[in-house]
Amino acid sequence: MEHARPEEDSAPLNADDQVREAAARQSFFDNFRAQERSIQEVLSSVTVSTENGNLAHVHTILDTLLVRTQALEADFSQAVDMLPAYDVQRCRATLKALTVGISTKREELAPQKKFSFKRRSAPQGQPAAPPTESHVPAASSDSSSPSIAGNCPSVRVEQMAISQSGSQQEQEQKQQQQQQQQQQQQQ
């Protein structure tokens, strides 16, 4: 069973339609090339001046260029049906090159800071601070303002365990020091 085709698809374009389509295609190409050149010119002129500290300005310019590239891509998507396959591939490659160029320029001029953990060192001449106890607030003696942490038995038990573990560590360190001193005396 054959499906009926719409008359538009099966009928050849008349001369007026062909002229309109060719004019629309030419208009698209002219606009596309002009926008491409404009974006490339602005992209190549973007620089960072360290004495002005205009990093935010650079981001604004690059964001604007990205929006313009996306608008150009939207125009291309609307015109893709009337373009030959070779021109479709060429336009896609151009749009991709513009997007990559913008992101490359952004990395070059305003790279993102890489996050890394840094070790905090004690000031010279001072030993490192001993570990502190829990920062959970203790129960207040004022009965008019009850403390949630102070009234919670599990928090109190945890606070006691933390303080005991701190004192146990201190005791273990003292025992180790005493053992070392005894070993040195025996030698």
Side-chain angles (χ1 to χ4, degrees):
M1 177 182 197
E2 288 186 35
H3 295 285
R5 291 185 173 177
E7 290 181 23
E8 300 172 3
D9 292 344
S10 61
L13 294 175
N14 64 27
D16 290 339
D17 290 339
Q18 288 178 349
V19 169
R20 274 189 241 130
E21 188 173 305
R25 198 175 314 131
Q26 188 60 42
S27 172
F28 166 77
F29 282 126
D30 292 343
N31 180 45
F32 189 87
R33 288 184 197 116
Q35 287 293 324
E36 176 193 1
R37 272 187 253 117
S38 173
I39 291 170
Q40 286 288 1
E41 287 173 3
V42 173
L43 188 60
S44 65
S45 69
V46 175
T47 60
V48 174
S49 174
T50 55
E51 61 268 357
N52 292 343
N54 60 0
L55 198 57
H57 183 66
V58 168
H59 282 295
T60 303
I61 292 172
L62 293 176
D63 289 342
T64 303
L65 290 178
L66 192 58
V67 168
R68 287 178 57 191
T69 302
Q70 290 169 345
L72 189 60
E73 191 170 1
D75 291 345
F76 165 71
S77 295
Q78 291 176 351
V80 76
D81 293 335
M82 67 178 171
L83 300 175
Y86 174 76
D87 291 330
V88 169
Q89 288 177 339
R90 216 177 78 219
C91 289
R92 281 189 181 138
T94 301
L95 289 167
K96 185 174 181 177
L98 287 173
T99 305
V100 168
I102 292 169
S103 63
T104 302
K105 192 66 128 175
R106 188 180 306 269
E107 281 296 314
E108 175 187 318
L109 296 177
Q112 291 183 348
K113 293 182 180 178
K114 299 194 187 231
F115 178 78
S116 65
F117 289 102
K118 293 186 179 174
R119 210 172 211 165
R120 291 183 184 176
S121 60
Q124 291 182 347
Q126 294 181 355
T132 60
E133 292 187 20
S134 173
H135 294 291
V136 177
S140 78
S141 59
D142 184 14
S143 62
S144 64
S145 61
S147 169
I148 294 174
N151 294 334
C152 182
S154 63
V155 172
R156 277 190 253 140
V157 169
E158 186 177 322
Q159 288 175 341
M160 290 173 50
I162 290 173
S163 65
Q164 288 175 356
S165 68
S167 62
Q168 285 176 352
Q169 288 175 351
E170 291 172 5
Q171 289 175 358
E172 289 174 3
Q173 288 176 353
K174 287 179 183 178
Q175 287 177 355
Q176 288 176 355
Q177 289 174 352
Q178 289 174 355
Q179 289 175 356
Q180 289 175 353
Q181 288 174 356
Q182 288 174 357
Q183 289 175 354
Q184 290 175 353
Q185 289 174 355
Q186 289 175 357
Q187 294 175 354

